[in-house]
């Protein structure tokens, strides 16, 4: 009996039957460029500060942590700026949990959430886990989402929640403020909660606006962020949001008691106090991201403009075969299941070189292998 047959014997909820869990491969490969982690690691000064901060918590670990994560909220407000106060901030174990709590509070049976695929693959899963209907909206052929189109879809479909991912995963491109404003206004009739998922905001090109500047006067707008990417803390699990204070009041109704451990809080606070060295690495990553984009163009692929720490590139004739050929060279990237495309995370300088060299090598060998890595331009 395989795993699915065994699962079928359990009294699983009907709406979860046949669903597949989130499953980016976790393989033991030298160069991991598949889940948009920060490839530069935690800088030494932040590591020391985290160690000291965690050590200071150990004696009190017999007690439950501060349920209101007061110091962390203050530090997050300081970091974000935009006049935000601690009461505008909320945090959880990764922005996945933040999004889940939003769905628990504002979605649920009889309610719906609208996303615009291709977008972050967890939105439909978080929706189904909370009994919320997921509606797949539409983008233009080049994956762009205009203010006019997004607003029309929100008006027509009247969802309770809208996910706007900016910069979008997997395409990497940020949305203009006009899209957020138009979607917010279009959601007025259904009183929709508008989530702008800015997990990758720190990697955006200079001058890209954040939806944080749109928060004043928009009580249904939520901007979600994470420390998993720019802050290199994917392993620590800390996501957060900025919104009107009453959003946190709603989330207090669904969060588990003491959901943020004292260790998590101490780690995040120490990292935020060392944001300078962490954000210096963000600049290095942006350089490697741009190197990847240029290298991919030279190799005949068509990368999408990237405001994130990854690059989505088209013009791939056989995505899965190319993914496999790179894996054979010790480079793991992501096949996101989109025809003609692959996604790769910006690496360190040497990882980026290994990725581009690998591609070059595969291309050079394509005549013999018959792999044909570049699609004919259409
Ligand atoms: N939003 C987007 C767009 C993401 O790509 C990810 C992770 N890859 C997340 C949210 C969740 O990240 P985390 O839970 O680590 O904060």
């Amino acid at each position: 009996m395989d795993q699915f047959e065994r699962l079928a014997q359990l009294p699983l909820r009907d709406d979860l039957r046949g669903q597949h869990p989130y499953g980016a491969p976790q393989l033991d490969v030298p160069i991991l460029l598949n889940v948009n982690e920060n490839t530069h690691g935690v800088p030494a000064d932040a590591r020391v500060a985290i160690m000291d901060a965690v050590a200071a918590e150990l004696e009190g670990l017999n007690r439950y942590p501060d349920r209101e994560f007061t110091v962390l909220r203050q530090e997050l407000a300081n970091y974000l700026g935009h006049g935000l106060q601690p009461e505008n901030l909320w945090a959880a174990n990764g922005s996945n949990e933040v999004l889940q709590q939003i769905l628990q509070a504002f979605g649920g049976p009889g309610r719906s959430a609208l996303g615009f695929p291709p977008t972050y693959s967890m939105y439909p899963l978080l929706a189904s886990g909370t009994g919320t209907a997921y509606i797949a909206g539409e983008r233009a052929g080049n994956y762009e989402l205009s203010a006019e189109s997004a607003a029309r879809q929100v008006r027509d479909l009247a969802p309770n929640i809208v996910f706007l991912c900016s910069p979008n995963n997997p395409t990497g491109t940020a949305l203009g403020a006009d899209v957020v404003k138009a979607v917010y206004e279009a959601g007025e009739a259904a009183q929709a909660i508008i989530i702008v998922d800015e997990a990758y905001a720190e990697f955006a090109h200079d001058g890209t606006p954040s939806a944080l500047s749109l928060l004043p006067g928009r009580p249904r707008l939520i901007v979600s962020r994470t420390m998993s990417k720019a802050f290199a803390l994917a392993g620590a699990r800390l996501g957060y949001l900025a919104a009107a204070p009453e959003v946190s009041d709603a989330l207090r109704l669904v969060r588990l008691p003491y959901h943020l451990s004292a260790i998590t809080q101490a780690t995040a606070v120490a990292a935020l106090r060392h944001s300078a060295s962490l954000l210096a690495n963000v600049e290095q990553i942006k350089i490697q991201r741009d190197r990847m984009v240029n290298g991919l163009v030279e190799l005949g692929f068509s990368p999408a403009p990237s405001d994130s720490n990854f690059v989505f590139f088209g013009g791939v004739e056989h995505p899965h075969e190319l993914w496999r050929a790179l894996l054979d060279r010790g480079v793991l990237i992501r096949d996101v299941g989109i025809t003609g495309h692959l996604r790769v995370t910006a690496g360190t300088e040497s990882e980026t070189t290994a990725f581009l060299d690998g591609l070059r090598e595969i291309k050079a060998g394509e005549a013999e292998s018959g792999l044909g890595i570049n699609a004919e331009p259409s």
Side-chain angles (χ1 to χ4, degrees):
M1 208 186 326
D2 73 11
Q3 203 185 345
F4 274 102
E5 285 169 326
R6 282 201 303 274
L7 178 58
Q9 293 187 334
L10 285 176
L12 185 67
R13 270 166 36 192
D14 287 340
D15 58 338
L16 293 182
R17 284 189 192 279
Q19 296 242 15
H20 292 276
Y22 176 85
Q26 286 196 304
L27 305 178
D28 190 11
V29 172
I31 300 181
L32 293 169
L33 304 178
N34 69 326
V35 283
N36 303 339
E37 291 152 338
N38 184 317
T39 42
H40 283 54
V42 182
D45 65 332
R47 282 207 303 267
V48 172
I50 291 171
M51 231 154 24
D52 290 347
V54 169
E57 290 300 319
L58 297 181
E59 198 190 340
L61 272 190
N62 57 316
R63 303 289 178 192
Y64 285 112
D66 174 10
R67 207 167 40 211
E68 286 298 311
F69 39 101
T70 321
V71 179
L72 175 58
R73 293 164 95 201
Q74 180 67 61
E75 290 293 338
L76 288 168
N78 294 349
Y79 168 64
L80 288 183
H82 287 86
L84 292 163
Q85 300 301 314
E87 56 268 29
N88 296 112
L89 272 296
W90 180 258
N93 297 284
S95 51
N96 279 315
E97 188 177 75
V98 170
L99 298 174
Q100 183 180 49
Q101 291 175 343
I102 297 170
L103 284 163
Q104 286 176 312
F106 298 105
R111 293 193 169 201
S112 63
L114 171 68
F116 296 95
T119 191
Y120 183 38
S121 61
M122 279 304 295
Y123 300 153
L125 276 176
L126 290 166
S128 78
T130 56
T132 311
Y134 184 74
I135 310 173
E138 282 172 7
R139 286 175 184 262
N142 57 1
Y143 302 119
E144 276 178 18
L145 184 61
S146 70
E148 188 272 322
S149 159
R152 180 181 36 74
Q153 296 181 64
V154 170
R155 267 192 307 275
D156 291 353
L157 299 162
N160 302 95
I161 295 169
V162 182
F163 289 108
L164 293 175
C165 191
S166 177
N168 186 47
N169 180 3
T171 54
T173 317
L175 289 171
D178 59 326
V179 182
V180 180
K181 283 191 213 159
V183 164
Y184 189 87
E185 278 159 34
E188 181 76 38
Q191 284 293 291
I193 292 286
I194 313 300
I195 305 169
V196 184
D197 180 347
E198 292 193 349
Y200 300 97
E202 286 92 342
F203 300 98
H205 288 100
D206 293 343
T208 308
S210 162
L212 291 172
S213 59
L214 302 177
L215 284 170
R218 291 188 176 86
R220 293 179 286 105
L221 181 62
I222 299 178
V223 181
S224 102
R225 293 271 185 120
T226 182
M227 293 185 76
S228 295
K229 312 294 176 178
F231 280 83
L233 286 183
R237 312 305 300 128
L238 200 287
Y240 57 100
L241 64 73
E246 52 271 32
V247 168
S248 301
D249 292 332
L251 302 189
R252 281 190 185 88
L253 300 172
V254 296
R255 62 95 174 263
L256 296 174
Y258 316 106
H259 68 290
L260 275 182
S261 83
I263 304 287
T264 305
Q265 294 184 39
T267 302
V269 166
L272 285 159
R273 289 179 180 163
H274 288 77
S275 53
S277 54
L278 282 149
L279 295 179
N281 277 352
V282 166
E283 292 310 311
Q284 294 305 314
I285 293 168
K286 287 162 75 174
I287 292 171
Q288 298 310 318
R289 184 251 339 259
D290 293 341
R291 237 187 102 205
M292 273 182 169
V293 169
N294 296 334
L296 283 161
V297 170
E298 276 168 29
L299 285 162
F301 296 101
S302 23
S306 176
D307 293 297
S308 50
N309 68 338
F310 57 89
V311 181
F312 179 69
F313 58 101
V316 188
E317 188 171 5
H318 300 294
H320 197 73
E321 284 70 11
L322 182 56
W323 175 85
R324 165 59 58 195
L326 282 165
L327 183 56
D328 291 343
R329 286 165 176 76
V331 182
L332 179 62
I333 69 165
R334 188 77 173 270
D335 179 359
V336 282
I338 298 177
T339 315
H341 291 78
L342 287 169
R343 192 193 72 190
V344 59
T345 306
T348 58
E349 188 174 1
S350 64
E351 288 172 336
T352 302
T353 302
F355 165 71
L356 292 171
D357 285 353
L359 276 185
R360 220 165 277 129
E361 215 178 280
I362 297 164
K363 200 173 153 83
E366 70 181 343
E368 296 139 56
S369 68
L371 184 57
I373 65 171
N374 292 123
E376 289 300 317
S378 52

